[in-house]
Amino acid sequence: MSEPQPEKKQEEKQQQPAPKPSFETERKASRKFLLGPVQTFIQWMPIGGSGWAFVSFLLKQDWFMAVLMFPVMCVTVVWAAYTESFLTRLQEISKQRGRQDVDSLVAWLKNLDETIRWQLAGTEDKYLKCQGEACLFYTTEGLPSTFKPLLKNVFIPLELSGDFFRSVDGENLPMPPGFQWDEEIVKIVEEKDSLRIWDILQRTKEYPQYRCLAIQAWGGYGKTTLLRNITYVYSEKLHRQYKAPKLIPVLLYLRKWQDVIANEKLSLIDLIETNHIPNIPGGEGLKLPPNWVKSLLEEGKMLVMFDGFDEVKEEWRKPISLWIGKAINSYSRSYFILTSRPAGYRDYVSENRPFRLFVKPFNREQRDEFIKRWYRSRERLISAKVRDSIVRKEAEQKAANLIQQLDERSELNDLAKNPLLLNMIVNLHSYIPYDYGNISEQIKLPYKRTQLYREIFRLQLGDRPLVKQINMVLPPEKSQKVLQKLALNMMEEKRANIDDKLLMERLETYLDPLEITASSFLKQIEQVSELLVKTDKDYEFAHLSFQAYLAAVEIEEHTWENLLLENHQHSWWKETILLYVEPQSNPNNLIRKLCNIGSITSVGIAYE
């Protein structure tokens, strides 16, 4: 088949009908057709009256009036030129603004769609599950234990109070310092009206100031455990039984995030979204809808808990307190709880000061209930017995045995008012070997008191500061040796307290001035380890038996048994002698010498 000639192709191309204009082309042409006359009308509308008047005066040869109308004509022509540029530019700007508004609308609809999809996916439930997983167990930082009960099974609600004691220098104390309790003070503390955290939260609508709380207590009184329990209750949606407001809990450990807050200067929203949530169990895979945290904070639906302000480095406490105050001010409808030891809280400088509450020590009912719950949980975990009644009976017997011993020994009962030390006592009691069937006669905690005290000092001087990332000025062993020298010196002088000036002089003789200053050492022993406490203008050991124990250890290390023999007739030395002759000290020689003395006092101590 032959190809068509070029001339023929050209002829056919010319005969083809022109393509029909598209709809868009027609729409633009119509728009131009309409806008043209409108724009022309706006431009020349002012010339209407003045233009006809000018022409009329010219035809009538009324030159005077025509001259008068001529400037008006000029202004009209200028108006026409001005409006032409004005309307053209306005049209261009309107087109651009219209495109921007449409883009904004589309973006908003997209975010709305994404938010709705995440709400349907249950973001709150997913987050609550992750946050709750982090608070399942009852744990004590720095206290080694092979048994971790569920928090819900052993938690004892803490009693709070707005009342406080005041020291001689004006410092507000949430309770008498240390572990030695005067009966009169105990009675006063127990008679004070007590509140629990849920009593406070359920009254926040009536009293908005309760939305922001500062809970203070000395170390070991359960501040962190309280916040973990609040978090768990909200994560399980159990707050309804306390008639508390519905809130999303966020538990932030300040010692963990202090560096990020101080150096990176993140906002509260960024801290929660980019740091906190990815670090809780399962949180690294949790995707949040846009502005989820911000919306909850602004709407007053979030409870932010800052734990351990006293654990923040001293040089960072001021800026971090200002940062916390700013967050409280920015989201005043939300809820905040800050915990701290009293000494550390003195460095909180923000004007936005929370409403202060203090943790009360365990009373007898709380003490006994903790012991019973702890043993029930432990026996269920370790027992191979099938019948729950048998497990429950054994747990009740062990708990009753420990409770009886605490009631009989006042020095142990004093320690048991502190939840941390009570936990240590229960752990120690649970590991004492015995034959089944005769629990009450065989588990004798008092004979292991030196072991308990040894664990307390290791915990307070080493383990807990290490876990809390607090740099101590001396290693635990050196710190204890300094305290041993001080304790023995105070025993020899028969003093239970020492004024601050004399204390500083003694510490300076015990410490190497090139290694550490006496003031820095005392500050940490008082505020971090809390083994020395300030009462009025004097210092004393947190419990008198601590002083006796440290003196006994110092005597054992230097084999100064003659010092004990010289003072055995004085009741002041009895506690030190008893702690010295406990099994860990191999006291056979001392006992033999006491028996050889033959006095009622010496023989009584030897057989006690």
Side-chain angles (χ1 to χ4, degrees):
M1 185 175 181
S2 61
E3 294 184 0
Q5 299 298 323
E7 294 81 0
K8 189 174 182 181
K9 285 185 178 181
Q10 184 68 23
E11 183 179 349
E12 289 177 356
K13 184 177 181 180
Q14 292 177 354
Q15 292 178 356
Q16 289 179 358
K20 293 183 179 180
S22 65
F23 174 78
E24 182 64 23
T25 304
E26 291 182 353
R27 186 182 67 81
K28 290 182 178 179
S30 301
R31 184 179 179 187
K32 185 175 182 181
F33 175 77
L34 291 173
L35 289 177
V38 172
Q39 185 170 335
T40 301
F41 174 75
I42 294 173
Q43 292 175 4
W44 296 101
M45 177 181 64
I47 205 173
S50 61
W52 287 111
F54 178 71
V55 173
S56 176
F57 290 134
L58 285 178
L59 292 175
K60 293 179 180 179
Q61 297 183 351
D62 190 344
W63 309 113
F64 177 76
M65 293 302 297
V67 170
L68 289 178
M69 291 302 300
F70 182 75
V72 179
M73 279 288 299
C74 292
V75 171
T76 303
V77 173
V78 172
W79 166 261
Y82 170 80
T83 54
E84 181 180 7
S85 299
F86 179 86
L87 293 173
T88 301
R89 181 59 178 157
L90 181 62
Q91 183 179 356
E92 295 174 357
I93 294 174
S94 298
K95 288 180 180 179
Q96 183 179 359
R97 180 61 183 272
R99 286 194 293 268
Q100 293 175 351
D101 289 345
V102 170
D103 291 342
S104 299
L105 177 61
V106 171
W108 180 79
L109 291 174
K110 182 179 179 181
N111 289 338
L112 178 63
D113 178 65
E114 188 174 354
T115 302
I116 291 174
R117 285 190 293 107
W118 274 102
Q119 288 293 338
L120 294 175
T123 306
E124 286 189 6
D125 290 341
K126 291 179 179 179
Y127 168 77
L128 289 174
K129 182 179 179 181
C130 294
Q131 180 66 90
E133 287 286 332
C135 300
L136 279 179
F137 296 101
Y138 177 82
T139 57
T140 303
E141 295 172 324
L143 177 61
S145 176
T146 57
F147 168 56
K148 289 197 305 183
L150 292 174
L151 179 61
K152 66 178 181 179
N153 290 339
V154 299
F155 177 75
I156 302 299
L158 299 180
E159 293 187 354
L160 307 173
S161 176
D163 298 313
F164 51 84
F165 295 88
R166 191 180 297 276
S167 67
V168 70
D169 57 0
E171 175 189 356
N172 294 332
L173 302 175
M175 63 199 70
F179 308 113
Q180 190 163 359
W181 295 82
D182 182 270
E183 291 184 3
E184 185 176 347
I185 291 180
V186 170
K187 184 178 180 181
I188 293 174
V189 171
E190 291 180 347
E191 288 178 352
K192 293 284 185 181
D193 292 335
S194 295
L195 295 170
R196 295 182 178 178
I197 189 62
W198 303 109
D199 299 325
I200 302 294
L201 291 176
Q202 69 180 227
R203 300 172 69 186
T204 50
K205 288 186 178 180
E206 184 180 0
Y207 301 99
Q209 64 268 32
Y210 292 165
R211 292 179 183 173
C212 186
L213 304 173
I215 299 178
Q216 297 183 56
W218 298 106
Y221 277 84
K223 302 180 294 297
T224 299
T225 304
L226 173 63
L227 297 191
R228 288 171 61 86
N229 179 255
I230 294 172
T231 304
Y232 176 79
V233 168
Y234 270 114
S235 68
E236 294 293 317
K237 300 181 180 180
L238 301 175
H239 60 281
R240 300 184 185 94
Q241 68 188 43
Y242 301 107
K243 299 180 181 179
K246 179 183 177 182
L247 299 170
I248 302 298
V250 176
L251 178 53
L252 301 170
Y253 300 104
L254 286 176
R255 71 172 178 276
K256 181 176 183 179
W257 303 119
Q258 58 180 319
D259 182 72
V260 174
I261 296 172
N263 293 325
E264 298 184 20
K265 296 179 171 48
L266 296 180
S267 66
L268 177 60
I269 294 174
D270 290 335
L271 179 64
I272 296 173
E273 289 184 342
T274 64
N275 294 83
H276 170 67
I277 292 179
N279 278 276
I280 57 179
E284 67 279 359
L286 182 61
K287 295 182 179 179
L288 303 177
N291 298 320
W292 185 70
V293 173
K294 181 181 179 183
S295 298
L296 290 173
L297 285 170
E298 291 178 344
E299 295 171 10
K301 296 180 180 179
M302 185 166 278
L303 169 59
V304 182
M305 292 168 280
F306 301 108
D307 181 55
F309 180 74
D310 57 286
E311 296 168 12
V312 173
K313 294 179 181 178
E314 287 190 48
E315 62 269 25
W316 287 347
R317 286 179 186 173
K318 180 178 179 180
I320 288 181
S321 68
L322 295 174
W323 182 88
I324 293 173
K326 181 180 179 181
I328 292 172
N329 185 60
S330 299
Y331 307 107
S332 57
R333 295 179 62 189
S334 277
Y335 296 69
F336 296 88
I337 298 178
L338 173 71
T339 65
S340 178
R341 299 185 189 190
Y345 191 71
R346 289 199 295 265
D347 294 329
Y348 186 89
V349 298
S350 174
E351 294 181 357
N352 290 315
R353 285 190 167 270
F355 182 83
R356 289 191 300 171
L357 291 168
F358 306 107
V359 179
K360 298 175 64 174
F362 267 5
N363 56 35
R364 191 180 191 281
E365 180 182 353
Q366 290 172 304
R367 180 202 72 181
D368 294 354
E369 185 62 25
F370 175 82
I371 295 171
K372 293 174 182 177
R373 292 187 184 187
W374 192 92
Y375 261 118
R376 279 199 296 266
S377 297
R378 182 178 184 274
E379 293 304 314
R380 288 195 189 103
L381 179 67
I382 67 174
S383 178
K385 298 180 178 65
V386 179
R387 293 177 59 186
D388 184 65
S389 59
I390 298 176
V391 175
R392 186 169 58 251
K393 181 179 180 181
E394 192 163 309
E396 290 173 353
Q397 288 179 336
K398 291 180 179 178
N401 173 267
L402 177 56
I403 290 171
Q404 179 181 356
Q405 294 185 65
L406 293 179
D407 287 339
E408 292 173 351
R409 301 299 297 254
S410 60
E411 74 280 2
L412 293 179
N413 188 40
D414 283 343
L415 299 179
K417 290 181 172 65
N418 180 301
L420 170 64
L421 299 183
L422 176 60
N423 190 17
M424 292 183 64
I425 293 171
V426 178
N427 270 279
L428 178 61
H429 182 266
S430 69
Y431 285 107
I432 298 176
Y434 68 98
D435 293 330
Y436 287 94
N438 195 15
I439 293 175
S440 60
E441 294 296 327
Q442 294 185 24
I443 306 180
K444 296 295 184 180
L445 182 64
Y447 296 108
K448 293 290 183 181
R449 205 150 44 103
T450 52
Q451 182 180 350
L452 174 63
Y453 289 171
R454 185 168 61 249
E455 291 297 308
I456 289 174
F457 278 85
R458 181 180 58 79
L459 180 78
Q460 296 298 95
L461 292 172
D463 291 350
R464 280 175 66 80
L466 179 62
V467 170
K468 293 175 177 292
Q469 300 177 11
I470 299 175
N471 295 322
M472 301 297 284
V473 293
L474 282 181
E477 300 80 11
K478 287 188 176 182
S479 293
Q480 179 165 328
K481 287 187 180 299
V482 171
L483 294 176
Q484 288 173 197
K485 294 179 184 297
L486 176 64
L488 181 56
N489 187 278
M490 293 174 66
M491 287 299 301
E492 290 178 311
E493 296 178 352
K494 297 182 181 179
R495 62 165 73 236
N497 49 55
I498 182 171
D499 68 78
D500 52 0
K501 184 178 179 181
L502 180 58
L503 174 60
M504 292 296 291
E505 292 176 357
R506 296 275 169 83
L507 292 178
E508 288 172 356
T509 63
Y510 306 147
L511 295 166
D512 183 352
L514 299 177
E515 186 176 22
I516 187 64
T517 64
S519 59
S520 58
F521 173 81
L522 177 59
K523 186 174 184 180
Q524 285 198 334
I525 295 299
E526 178 189 0
Q527 297 185 9
V528 179
S529 301
E530 295 178 335
L531 295 172
L532 285 175
V533 295
K534 189 175 184 180
T535 58
D536 294 335
K537 293 183 179 181
D538 297 336
Y539 281 87
E540 63 184 34
F541 281 93
H543 197 278
L544 189 58
S545 62
F546 287 177
Q547 179 178 323
Y549 166 76
L550 289 170
V553 174
E554 181 73 2
I555 292 171
E556 179 191 8
E557 290 181 358
H558 293 84
T559 61
W560 290 338
E561 287 186 358
N562 288 336
L563 181 62
L564 298 177
L565 291 171
E566 292 171 2
N567 292 281
H568 77 275
Q569 71 275 20
H570 302 298
S571 60
W572 170 254
W573 283 87
K574 181 179 179 180
E575 185 79 358
T576 302
I577 296 173
L578 291 175
L579 288 167
Y580 178 86
V581 298
E582 280 193 1
Q584 64 107 15
S585 299
N586 189 22
N588 295 335
N589 186 50
L590 179 64
I591 292 178
R592 190 162 45 248
K593 290 179 180 180
L594 288 171
C595 291
N596 290 336
I597 292 174
S599 68
I600 296 176
T601 303
S602 63
V603 174
I605 293 176
Y607 281 94
E608 187 164 338

